Amino acid sequence: MLALAPMGQLEPSSGKIDFTKGEIEVGKWIDGKTIYKSVIDSTVGELQNDLNAIGIDYVVDMYGMALSNYGNWFPIPCKNIASIDYNDADHYTISILQSNLSARNFQITFGDYYATTNKAYIVVEYTKKGV
């Protein structure tokens, strides 16, 4: 039988919570590269540009919130599966993908219930290109 060690208090990978804007080092990735964390205070329409401007090589984790057109805050990422009408299920969906592997361009897609001027906050942990 497998014995599990008792868990202590859960802590973020860096051992502390720091949501200051700008880039900070928070650990090492499996390939030895430094993991950085940035907090981006932006809009739905600019988040993609903000991510690509950082020079991200690999997204380790991301989370945040985006304001919908109806005044609701939804998590990033988000997949709305609660809708009874499955044709409307993607209206609130938010996802990220690496749109071009060689160029390391990232694309954040928002459902149509988010205007490009809506407020958004994202915390992204990543490794950087060429570092």
Side-chain angles (χ1 to χ4, degrees), residues 16-88:
K16 63 180 181 174
I17 297 175
D18 187 348
F19 291 104
T20 56
K21 293 181 189 174
E23 185 176 82
I24 60 172
E25 291 184 20
V26 295
K28 294 284 182 192
W29 187 233
I30 56 176
D31 62 3
K33 284 187 169 184
T34 301
I35 299 173
Y36 300 91
K37 177 173 75 173
S38 288
V39 179
I40 301 171
D41 176 354
S42 192
T43 63
V44 167
E46 288 298 316
L47 272 180
Q48 181 173 323
N49 293 334
D50 293 339
L51 280 181
N52 290 320
I54 293 173
I56 296 174
D57 181 51
Y58 182 79
V59 174
V60 174
D61 194 13
M62 69 157 203
Y63 51 95
M65 302 292 285
L67 185 62
S68 79
N69 295 345
Y70 302 100
N72 312 82
W73 285 93
F74 280 84
I76 298 172
C78 175
K79 177 63 177 165
N80 180 12
I81 59 172
S83 175
I84 294 172
D85 179 357
Y86 291 105
N87 293 324
D88 291 338

